[in-house]
Amino acid sequence: MATYLDEENLQKQIEEIEALSSIYGEEWCVIDEASRIFCIQVSDDLNKPKWRLCLQVVLPLEYPSTAPPIYQLNAPWLKGKDRLELCNSLEEIYVTNLGESILYLWVERIREFLVEKSLSDDPAECTNTIKTTEELEVDYEDDFDFAYQPGIQKDAPKLLEFVLPQESQDEELPPIYHGEPMTDRRSTFQAHLAPVVTPNQLSNH
């Protein structure tokens, strides 16, 4: 049964999504509105992008009051130090704005990160990266699973860690949602999301 706080969170989510859709237009994409799953394509420059990535989020019922969005950053070039730096920046924004709607702040921080990378990197490196991104036909289906799999995804994103109550071993596993395929040039993307909220669900998934 939904509580007053749940209803308040849902209303805030609806208002936030409407605002983001108005601000970002076609960049903003609804994967599954009923399950609160969304994504946005972010680039350093709308006209002549050098760097771009896709931010995907699932909004739990506890967001924004007591829980963060579950997120995934998707880009062929985003690995190692770059991924860690960006994930840490997003998590810092959440911690600094506990209880507030933060998706706009996340998107703009990602854009700022891409602009900084565009200005600091060797132009030749940027050109090679863009060309590689356009020419490679890669299946990214596994990259869209929000559930972290230790030992399988070397550069999997770090989700925010919270102290959760110990659940029983026979806890019900979360459903897996499959989004509509999206094609960007010669690469096809499809989201597969599992709203995991406890450590046992991760280990038993």
Side-chain angles (χ1 to χ4, degrees):
M1 182 176 180
T3 65
Y4 173 78
L5 184 58
D6 292 338
E7 293 176 355
E8 184 178 16
N9 283 335
L10 182 58
Q11 182 59 38
K12 287 183 177 180
Q13 289 182 20
I14 292 173
E15 293 174 356
E16 181 178 25
I17 296 307
E18 289 179 349
L20 293 171
S21 179
S22 175
I23 293 171
Y24 296 113
E26 294 182 355
E27 290 182 288
W28 183 260
C29 177
V30 178
I31 296 178
D32 189 332
E33 186 170 9
S35 300
R36 317 304 294 158
I37 303 171
F38 308 91
C39 71
I40 182 170
Q41 299 285 342
V42 188
S43 63
D44 61 322
D45 187 295
L46 294 178
N47 297 319
K48 296 181 179 180
K50 296 179 180 179
W51 300 97
R52 60 165 63 96
L53 62 76
C54 177
L55 167 68
Q56 298 190 49
V57 295
V58 55
L59 305 181
L61 194 56
E62 298 80 9
Y63 170 80
S65 62
T66 60
I70 302 170
Y71 70 96
Q72 171 78 61
L73 301 171
N74 296 292
W77 56 268
L78 188 63
K79 300 178 181 179
K81 182 180 178 181
D82 283 339
R83 178 180 289 277
L84 181 61
E85 177 184 344
L86 186 51
C87 286
N88 286 341
S89 294
L90 300 186
E91 294 175 15
E92 182 178 351
I93 289 174
Y94 171 73
V95 172
T96 305
N97 298 273
L98 288 174
E100 302 294 330
S101 300
I102 59 170
L103 293 183
Y104 175 80
L105 297 178
W106 274 11
V107 172
E108 291 308 306
R109 177 63 189 102
I110 292 171
R111 196 182 308 279
E112 180 182 334
F113 175 84
L114 297 178
V115 170
E116 291 172 353
K117 186 171 181 61
S118 177
L119 294 175
S120 63
D121 284 350
D122 181 3
E125 180 183 348
C126 293
T127 302
N128 291 336
T129 301
I130 295 172
K131 184 177 181 181
T132 301
T133 302
E134 293 176 346
E135 291 182 351
L136 287 178
E137 296 184 14
V138 184
D139 182 1
Y140 294 106
E141 289 190 4
D142 291 340
D143 292 339
F144 284 72
D145 189 348
F146 278 55
Y148 171 60
Q149 303 177 39
I152 297 178
Q153 294 173 297
K154 180 179 179 182
D155 293 310
K158 180 177 66 173
L159 300 182
L160 292 169
E161 298 179 357
F162 297 89
V163 178
L164 299 172
Q166 183 65 35
E167 303 289 345
S168 61
Q169 294 299 320
D170 57 351
E171 181 178 3
E172 182 180 355
L173 295 178
I176 299 177
Y177 302 100
H178 306 281
E180 294 295 328
M182 296 185 300
T183 301
D184 183 5
R185 290 183 288 255
R186 289 185 290 172
S187 296
T188 299
F189 305 85
Q190 184 178 20
H192 302 280
L193 311 179
V196 175
V197 296
T198 69
N200 283 336
Q201 289 179 332
L202 279 177
S203 58
N204 295 328
H205 193 277

